[in-house]
Amino acid sequence: SKDGRTLYFSSNMPGGTGGYDIWKVAVNGDGSFGTPENMGTGINTEGNEGFPSVTDSGRLYFASDSRQGFGGLDVFYVDLNKGGEARNVGAPVNTAKDDFAFSFNDTKKTGFFSSNRDGNDNIYQAAPICATEIAVTVRDAKTGQALSDAKVSILDEKRNIVETRTSGAEGKVSYTTDCNRTFTIQATRDGYESGTFPVSKTAGEPIAVSADLQPIETIIQPEAVTLNEIYFEYDKSNITREGAFELDKLVQAMNLHPEMVIMVKAHTDNRGTDAYNMALSERRARSTVQYVLSKGIKRDRISGKGFGESEPKVQCEPCSEEQHAQNRRSEFL
């Protein structure tokens, strides 16, 4: 070990669990040794475990011929600081042949190991790929209860969906991603307001995301359904991905309350003529209504009207880009 106080070795001495096992022994200050201790069944099997190597950070690598793997000897590791079962390092280090004697230098960020994958025992160098685990827990924001059957998506920097998974009984979903990249988690579930949760860059440390969802009732007010603004791009009327994410909340609320009838008011910023903006807002109202209809809501429950630039949310002259964006909006009465 880094502090020189523990020696890890392989032996078939009595007291083991199988053939060769991984053992450890204390190194005393005077250079003598303590009593060897078997590393236990989290590492050792009825087969053979050998070639131990420990990193400065406390990760123990070893080879085994009896754990679930790719064939022959495979390289496994266990974090001595956390314990638990040993894990296979996976391809491309491990193959159907013998792969063993793996060592890793934490400072140089490089590994070396032996393999007979080409017919002879040769030494190979391994460069690690930095990865981080994102562990998401979906819960009811009011009760703290874990929510199963939630759809959890991970989005990249361009807001493209990379993958979608479903939470289990404990409300948990996990993703393994590249280091030093930002992601966004989106969580949706029937009866709850959908949520987005940003994930910051890391150098490999695991990230825990608490995806707490508000019951859908929280967005329903006596006179309106309160959504985050359905902003439109300048001079366009198509529903954006972010807009669709918000409108799905409206659909949920309408499904929950079959008696609810919605009037959509669409607005523009003050760039362009009054007549042009009125026509643009009408198109935005129609596209908003059409999206909701596409989700199965009956036509007599939703209507829309464009108001152009006649009812700005922000009075401004001149307006900043942010103020223009706030005025390009939809309301749901």
Side-chain angles (χ1 to χ4, degrees), residues 110-243:
T110 190
F112 295 93
F113 65 100
S114 296
S115 175
N116 65 0
R117 63 188 65 193
D118 291 331
N120 298 307
D121 288 350
N122 289 321
I123 295 175
Y124 293 80
Q125 184 175 8
I129 299 173
C130 183
T132 187
E133 183 177 16
I134 301 174
V136 184
T137 304
V138 186
R139 298 180 301 191
D140 184 305
K142 288 193 171 182
T143 67
Q145 179 182 355
L147 297 177
S148 61
D149 298 320
K151 301 297 182 186
V152 182
S153 300
I154 184 168
L155 284 65
D156 62 18
E157 297 95 330
K158 296 181 179 179
R159 307 286 289 180
N160 296 315
I161 294 177
V162 178
E163 187 178 355
T164 300
R165 297 181 179 178
T166 302
S167 62
E170 296 181 348
K172 295 185 180 297
V173 168
S174 64
Y175 293 99
T176 300
T177 64
D178 297 335
C179 298
N180 298 312
R181 291 182 60 189
T182 57
F183 295 91
T184 300
I185 296 295
Q186 281 187 351
T188 63
R189 190 183 189 276
D190 288 345
Y192 288 85
E193 182 182 351
S194 304
T196 59
F197 309 90
V199 179
S200 301
K201 296 179 182 179
T202 72
E205 301 85 358
I207 302 171
V209 177
S210 296
D212 295 341
L213 303 183
Q214 294 284 350
I216 199 70
E217 295 288 356
T218 60
I219 67 172
I220 302 173
Q221 307 300 324
E223 300 297 328
V225 173
T226 305
L227 304 179
N228 293 323
E229 298 289 3
I230 311 296
Y231 293 126
F232 292 88
E233 295 181 24
Y234 173 61
D235 205 28
K236 293 183 179 179
S237 59
N238 56 297
I239 300 297
T240 63
R241 184 183 289 111
E242 293 83 357

Side-chain angles (χ1 to χ4, degrees), residues 46-330:
E46 294 179 355
N48 295 299
E49 282 71 44
F51 306 98
S53 173
V54 63
T55 67
D56 287 351
S57 60
R59 177 175 281 194
L60 176 71
Y61 290 95
F62 64 96
S64 175
D65 64 6
S66 297
R67 288 184 166 273
Q68 180 93 29
F70 292 71
L73 283 168
D74 271 11
V75 177
F76 292 81
Y77 72 91
V78 66
D79 189 329
L80 297 174
N81 301 311
K82 298 178 181 178
E85 285 285 326
R87 300 176 65 178
N88 193 300
V89 302
V93 170
N94 288 322
T95 65
K97 299 298 182 74
D98 291 324
D99 309 288
F100 54 98
F102 188 96
S103 63
F104 188 79
N105 186 306
D106 284 333
T107 303
K108 302 281 187 183
K109 302 296 182 186
T110 190
F112 295 93
F113 65 100
S114 296
S115 175
N116 65 0
R117 63 188 65 193
D118 291 331
N120 298 307
D121 288 350
N122 289 321
I123 295 175
Y124 293 80
Q125 184 175 8
I129 299 173
C130 183
T132 187
E133 183 177 16
I134 301 174
V136 184
T137 304
V138 186
R139 298 180 301 191
D140 184 305
K142 288 193 171 182
T143 67
Q145 179 182 355
L147 297 177
S148 61
D149 298 320
K151 301 297 182 186
V152 182
S153 300
I154 184 168
L155 284 65
D156 62 18
E157 297 95 330
K158 296 181 179 179
R159 307 286 289 180
N160 296 315
I161 294 177
V162 178
E163 187 178 355
T164 300
R165 297 181 179 178
T166 302
S167 62
E170 296 181 348
K172 295 185 180 297
V173 168
S174 64
Y175 293 99
T176 300
T177 64
D178 297 335
C179 298
N180 298 312
R181 291 182 60 189
T182 57
F183 295 91
T184 300
I185 296 295
Q186 281 187 351
T188 63
R189 190 183 189 276
D190 288 345
Y192 288 85
E193 182 182 351
S194 304
T196 59
F197 309 90
V199 179
S200 301
K201 296 179 182 179
T202 72
E205 301 85 358
I207 302 171
V209 177
S210 296
D212 295 341
L213 303 183
Q214 294 284 350
I216 199 70
E217 295 288 356
T218 60
I219 67 172
I220 302 173
Q221 307 300 324
E223 300 297 328
V225 173
T226 305
L227 304 179
N228 293 323
E229 298 289 3
I230 311 296
Y231 293 126
F232 292 88
E233 295 181 24
Y234 173 61
D235 205 28
K236 293 183 179 179
S237 59
N238 56 297
I239 300 297
T240 63
R241 184 183 289 111
E242 293 83 357
F245 187 72
E246 290 300 317
L247 288 175
D248 286 342
K249 302 177 187 178
L250 175 64
V251 172
Q252 274 216 68
M254 297 182 75
N255 284 330
L256 193 64
H257 295 277
E259 76 285 358
M260 182 185 291
V261 177
I262 291 293
M263 164 67 173
V264 180
K265 295 177 67 175
H267 306 270
T268 69
D269 59 36
N270 61 9
R271 290 178 286 192
T273 66
D274 290 353
Y276 180 84
N277 284 336
M278 188 63 71
L280 177 60
S281 65
E282 283 287 351
R283 294 198 299 273
R284 288 175 175 172
R286 284 199 300 271
S287 65
T288 302
V289 169
Q290 190 58 47
Y291 180 87
V292 175
L293 293 175
S294 74
K295 297 297 182 177
I297 299 299
K298 292 183 178 180
R299 187 172 294 276
D300 61 359
R301 296 185 59 201
I302 185 166
S303 60
K305 181 175 175 57
F307 287 80
E309 60 183 86
S310 63
E311 296 183 4
K313 183 177 182 179
V314 181
Q315 294 284 355
C316 51
E317 189 60 48
C319 299
S320 66
E321 282 300 323
E322 181 181 350
Q323 290 169 326
H324 280 311
Q326 290 183 61
N327 287 332
R328 297 193 301 269
R329 71 198 191 281
S330 294

